Amino acid sequence: MLSEADRIEALEAAQKLVACLSENSESSRSESTRVLALRITNHVIRSLEKPEDGLMKFAYSPTIWMAIRTCVQLNVFNILVEKETTSAREIAERSGADEALLRRLLRVLTSYGYVAEKGDGLYGVNKWTKHMQNRLTQGMIKFIFDESMPAITAAPEFFKDNGFQNPVDPRNGPYQKGLGIDVPIFPWLALPENKERWDAANTFFEGDRGSRPSWVTWFPVKDELLSGKIDDLAPLLVDVAGGRGHDLMEFLDQFPSVTGKYVLQDQQQVLDSAISLPPAVEKRAFDFFNEAPVEGAKIYFMKFIMHDYADPEALRILKHIRSSMKKGYSYLVINDFILPDTGCSLIAAEWDLMMLTLMSSMERTESQWRNLLGAAGLSIKGLYQPPGDGQGIILATL
């Protein structure tokens, strides 16, 4: 039975939700409003949900993730999107999987709304099914499931063995305990025998922002970064450890009339997989732990790099970048989460724990960003937050 207190709490939250979405204006359809509405909706659910049921739902939720990962491996989502309705028998014949197993996996996914149920053993598509067959989505599913699940499982025992201290050693964390290795995650994934896992990681990194807006769509790029004289002999933008150049391409697409030299820097094997870059982008291999990027650029850009490393390793990277920057001219643009001291969004808090388990690293608060960059000899010109709950921009100079 629903208690009177819970009924009132749910009703008040529902009224806030209706008020949030009722206004017929541009702001009511904004990303900020969408994220706020989701938070209020979760409040309604928590008010109505009994703790026993809610906790049991979370306890069994890994089965959903397992079913999704298995269906990706069997190419189920790609099969489903080909036509309006597909039978379990046809999926079994095309995937080579047992029909009884498929029905059990899909039962979970239809219950959760990720696959449409059209009848007994008949399945269709919805927006979730279509999203699951996307190349970037499947890279994320493979990377997060294959790499994080052993680490998450090993984490409680790792914490206990290490006196519940915050892990900061990239060679000794939950990931290493879960996989039985003693090297950091990226050097291990880059080994030839892990080629498929490394490819999944780099595919995920192409789309790891999700639906959240790109920084070039909301940050005042022209006012903050492109005003004043530009040195035509030096690069306009260096994408530091930029993977396959997806963020660099977004910059070029957003500012097609801004001419200049562009450089993508990463490990050689990563650059070799960046095959869709325009001639304006030069690829240069480097190791940011031991080398400085190209000198004298106007903009040094890093997305989701600093959160991969605890302060000692992050400082090494930042000091190399600082040595390449030109005083009074160069900017360092860091696209990363800026955690609030209170009221943190769920996705940012979860991402922080993912960094803990995989990298022995962290997402940072404003004060942590200021301390880190100050120790590297850099000054923060501004911290900027995007609409909704996405990654912010930390703008730094010498």
Side-chain angles (χ1 to χ4, degrees):
M1 180 179 293
L2 185 66
S3 72
E4 182 63 12
D6 287 341
R7 185 188 73 82
I8 293 174
E9 183 179 353
L11 183 60
E12 289 177 346
Q15 289 171 339
K16 289 180 181 178
L17 178 62
V18 172
C20 178
L21 297 175
S22 293
E23 183 185 351
N24 186 21
S25 65
E26 189 68 26
S27 63
S28 70
R29 294 185 291 276
S30 68
E31 177 68 8
S32 298
T33 299
R34 185 188 71 84
V35 171
L36 176 60
L38 278 172
R39 289 189 182 185
I40 298 172
T41 301
N42 283 328
H43 190 181
V44 175
I45 293 171
R46 295 291 173 269
S47 302
L48 296 173
E49 198 167 44
K50 294 182 178 180
E52 301 90 336
D53 298 334
L55 191 58
M56 185 169 291
K57 181 181 71 177
F58 282 119
Y60 286 106
S61 64
T63 61
I64 303 168
W65 200 218
M66 177 272 291
I68 291 171
R69 178 65 180 95
T70 306
C71 285
V72 166
Q73 190 167 341
L74 293 171
N75 210 36
V76 170
F77 298 111
N78 299 65
I79 293 172
L80 285 171
V81 299
E82 291 178 6
K83 55 185 181 180
E84 186 175 338
T85 302
T86 309
S87 69
R89 177 173 296 180
E90 180 181 347
I91 299 171
E93 291 173 351
R94 294 182 59 180
S95 67
D98 179 69
E99 183 179 340
L101 172 63
L102 284 169
R103 281 173 172 260
R104 297 177 73 180
L105 295 172
L106 288 167
R107 182 186 296 144
V108 170
L109 300 187
T110 55
S111 297
Y112 215 73
Y114 288 158
V115 173
E117 192 168 39
K118 298 288 189 176
D120 182 13
L122 298 175
Y123 307 97
V125 300
N126 54 31
K127 67 177 183 179
W128 294 95
T129 320
K130 294 176 182 177
H131 183 65
M132 296 288 188
Q133 61 92 40
N134 179 276
R135 179 181 68 89
L136 302 184
T137 303
Q138 294 199 357
M140 180 272 290
I141 292 167
K142 293 175 184 177
F143 173 71
I144 297 297
F145 186 93
D146 296 353
E147 309 310 329
S148 73
M149 291 302 284
I152 290 171
T153 302
E157 186 176 352
F158 173 85
F159 297 146
K160 181 181 178 182
D161 291 345
N162 290 273
F164 295 95
Q165 298 299 301
N166 189 45
V168 295
D169 185 350
R171 298 162 298 180
N172 181 30
Y175 184 78
Q176 285 69 33
K177 184 174 182 64
L179 272 71
I181 59 177
D182 59 0
V183 295
I185 179 173
F186 288 149
W188 188 77
L189 287 175
L191 295 174
E193 58 265 34
N194 295 323
K195 184 178 183 303
E196 288 187 12
R197 299 173 82 150
W198 189 221
D199 179 70
N202 281 288
T203 300
F204 167 47
F205 299 155
E206 289 183 60
D208 56 7
R209 192 181 64 249
S211 67
R212 290 159 183 81
S214 169
W215 74 287
V216 296
T217 65
W218 60 266
F219 180 79
V221 174
K222 289 188 175 181
D223 292 340
E224 293 286 358
L225 303 175
L226 301 178
S227 61
K229 183 174 174 57
I230 303 293
D231 184 354
D232 294 333
L233 299 178
L236 176 66
L237 189 151
V238 177
D239 195 350
V240 180
R244 293 170 177 165
H246 38 283
D247 295 294
L248 188 49
M249 287 299 299
E250 286 184 338
F251 186 94
L252 289 167
D253 290 342
Q254 185 73 13
F255 305 105
S257 62
V258 176
T259 59
K261 297 178 181 179
Y262 298 87
V263 179
L264 174 65
Q265 294 204 265
D266 210 310
Q267 300 175 59
Q268 186 62 56
Q269 65 187 117
V270 177
L271 295 178
D272 289 342
S273 67
I275 57 176
S276 301
L277 297 175
V281 178
E282 178 187 357
K283 296 190 288 187
R284 290 197 194 183
F286 91 131
D287 174 3
F288 57 25
F289 282 124
N290 300 303
E291 301 173 68
V294 179
E295 291 186 4
K298 181 69 171 178
I299 305 166
Y300 293 90
F301 176 76
M302 289 196 298
K303 190 195 81 177
F304 274 169
I305 304 301
M306 290 292 93
H307 79 166
D308 288 342
Y309 302 99
D311 286 359
E313 289 75 26
L315 276 172
R316 287 175 61 190
I317 298 168
L318 288 171
K319 287 178 178 179
H320 282 304
I321 295 173
R322 182 195 65 190
S323 69
S324 293
M325 294 173 68
K326 182 178 177 181
K327 190 171 180 62
Y329 179 75
S330 299
Y331 291 98
L332 171 60
V333 178
I334 298 174
N335 191 193
D336 229 317
F337 283 114
I338 306 170
L339 300 185
D341 292 323
T342 61
C344 186
S345 68
L346 179 60
I347 184 64
E350 289 177 329
W351 215 301
D352 178 53
L353 290 189
M354 191 65 73
M355 294 300 99
L356 183 154
T357 53
L358 291 178
M359 319 281 187
S360 296
S361 61
M362 68 176 82
E363 305 294 348
R364 292 176 170 88
T365 63
E366 178 178 338
S367 61
Q368 288 172 323
W369 279 117
R370 291 190 182 279
N371 290 337
L372 175 65
L373 291 169
L378 294 162
S379 175
I380 291 182
K381 186 174 184 290
L383 295 100
Y384 304 80
Q385 289 284 15
D389 58 354
Q391 299 84 44
I393 289 290
I394 301 97
L395 183 62
T397 59
L398 289 176

